[in-house]
Amino acid sequence: MTPQSGTPDQGPLWLCLSGGNALGAYQAGFYEVLHAKGLTPAQITGASIGAINGALIAGNPPDRQIPALKEFWEIARQVTPATLMPGMGYLSEKRMSVVQTLLAGRPGLFIPSMPGLWSIMPGVPQDQRLFDRRPLCQTLERLIDFGRLNSGEIGFRLTAVDAETGEVVAFDTARDRIDPNHILASSAFPIVYEPIEIDGRLLFDPGLSENHPLPSMFDIPVPPGTRCLSVDLYAPEGARPATLEDVIGRAENLIFACQTERSLNTLRPRIESSGARLLHITYSGAETGLKAFDYSTSSLARRWKEGAVDAERAVEALRDLPSEPGIHRLRHMEEAAQG
């Protein structure tokens, strides 16, 4: 199928992917539909899991992009006792998955660090993390062709935050050579994972200040007629919390979604003056507290499917966007995803 990344009547397609850890399976399902329809992004900007998904796409030829995404998320997938005993219920599987992840990590992605949490005790060697991500580094090296990633065939940009200054730092294949350390830096959420030093700067996950890297995406020149798909994993709206678990889930959403809302309000004049049209897609599927650590089989499969459903809606909305530049929104529809 002929790519539609930059035809004159449509303009180039840019893709912006937010952070969200295990929620990133939604982005993978979303991209699978874009790929099937021949919608190849000319530029990808990612943060945290968005940087990982983006690198898997930009760092593979078209026929390997979806297999690479599927293999990564198969490595991430977690079989729980509740998976093997369906009678325990869907919520039990999700909650057990979170507990398993926090206790044992995810082989192939991250494993418990030693001494880890024990380093707070007197006389124990100091540690900077709860989990060791050497397995993730090996997985990235195996699934991503970094020569291709840095070739510029698909522009690729990722972000991190400077642990000392708080500045958001962008790395771009147009000027930097990106390697696994850059991706580890973009996904180095503090306490959980260790910070990464690059060029003398100690870097953390940008989710601390810019979980959805829209400002960094618009830091570079925007070609005329650019269409931007902004795939965000946290929604500001949600039901009133009734339990502690609900409170944790709503707090997680608000921490990250409010960052994005501020960014969109600030960026609106820049987007309009650039001539770009941005479609902001927000995932808000049924989740439990600490959902970013829920790698259960059923949750990953459901997020992937819901991403695919929302991508179909996004492609249709993309065709119908007004010719005037600006920001347009598409909210996740739970009932549509379950259909």
Side-chain angles (χ1 to χ4, degrees):
M1 191 172 292
T2 304
Q4 302 175 25
S5 59
T7 53
D9 58 323
Q10 294 178 321
L13 180 68
W14 283 15
L15 185 61
C16 191
L17 304 174
S18 81
N21 212 354
L23 300 178
Y26 172 88
Q27 294 173 343
F30 190 98
Y31 183 75
E32 185 176 28
V33 169
L34 296 187
H35 183 273
K37 294 181 179 296
L39 289 165
T40 303
Q43 175 75 37
I44 299 175
T45 301
S48 196
I49 192 62
I52 293 175
N53 281 329
L56 289 165
I57 296 166
N60 278 285
D63 64 338
R64 279 289 306 155
Q65 290 171 353
I66 302 307
L69 285 168
K70 287 183 174 180
E71 186 170 349
F72 176 84
W73 287 101
E74 178 62 25
I75 290 169
R77 185 176 68 89
Q78 186 175 54
V79 177
T80 68
T83 307
L84 304 176
M85 294 179 286
M88 292 184 69
Y90 179 58
L91 284 178
S92 295
E93 181 186 6
K94 293 164 73 70
R95 290 165 179 157
M96 195 168 292
S97 174
V98 171
V99 172
Q100 280 186 232
T101 299
L102 295 176
L103 290 177
R106 291 299 309 123
L109 301 184
F110 51 89
I111 56 177
S113 177
M114 289 300 292
L117 187 61
W118 291 104
S119 67
I120 65 174
M121 301 298 291
V124 177
Q126 292 298 300
D127 204 341
Q128 291 184 305
R129 63 200 175 176
L130 297 179
F131 294 102
D132 180 342
R133 291 191 299 161
R134 279 177 291 184
L136 174 59
C137 188
Q138 294 167 0
T139 296
L140 296 175
E141 289 174 339
R142 184 169 58 81
L143 293 180
I144 298 170
D145 178 345
F146 282 90
R148 187 181 191 94
L149 179 71
N150 287 284
S151 71
E153 183 169 335
I154 294 177
F156 180 65
R157 188 172 175 86
L158 60 76
T159 58
V161 65
D162 189 308
E164 295 179 287
T165 68
E167 177 188 0
V168 174
V169 182
F171 296 98
D172 193 320
T173 54
R175 64 167 189 266
D176 306 301
R177 181 153 188 93
I178 289 178
D179 62 31
N181 270 342
H182 293 85
I183 300 174
L184 292 178
S186 185
S187 54
F189 204 81
I191 303 173
V192 184
Y193 309 123
E194 75 281 9
I196 302 295
E197 184 171 343
I198 297 176
D199 297 332
R201 305 181 82 160
L202 195 65
L203 301 173
F204 279 133
D205 187 309
L208 295 168
S209 58
E210 189 185 284
N211 190 60
H212 198 30
L214 286 166
S216 295
M217 181 172 72
F218 283 98
D219 273 347
I220 58 178
V222 183
T226 295
R227 302 161 299 153
C228 305
L229 285 175
S230 159
V231 187
D232 198 354
L233 297 175
Y234 292 99
E237 306 90 356
R240 178 181 294 192
T243 67
L244 177 60
E245 185 175 14
D246 293 342
V247 171
I248 292 170
R250 282 303 297 142
E252 184 181 340
N253 268 49
L254 290 171
I255 287 168
F256 299 123
C258 289
Q259 295 176 15
T260 303
E261 290 302 307
R262 288 192 293 270
S263 293
L264 287 168
N265 290 333
T266 302
L267 286 170
R268 189 178 298 275
R270 193 189 311 178
I271 292 170
E272 292 175 351
S273 65
S274 72
R277 292 170 294 163
L278 184 143
L279 182 61
H280 182 235
I281 301 101
T282 309
Y283 171 61
S284 57
E287 299 285 352
T288 59
L290 294 175
K291 52 190 172 287
F293 291 96
D294 172 16
Y295 288 91
S296 62
T297 298
S298 58
S299 290
L300 295 190
R302 178 179 53 80
R303 291 166 189 156
W304 190 294
K305 177 185 175 183
E306 293 183 2
V309 170
D310 284 350
E312 294 281 359
R313 298 173 57 228
V315 169
E316 184 176 340
L318 203 60
R319 294 194 191 102
D320 297 334
L321 283 181
S323 57
E324 297 79 16
I327 297 172
H328 310 273
R329 295 179 183 266
L330 183 69
R331 291 294 191 238
H332 172 71
M333 291 175 57
E334 186 73 20
E335 61 270 21
Q338 291 177 347

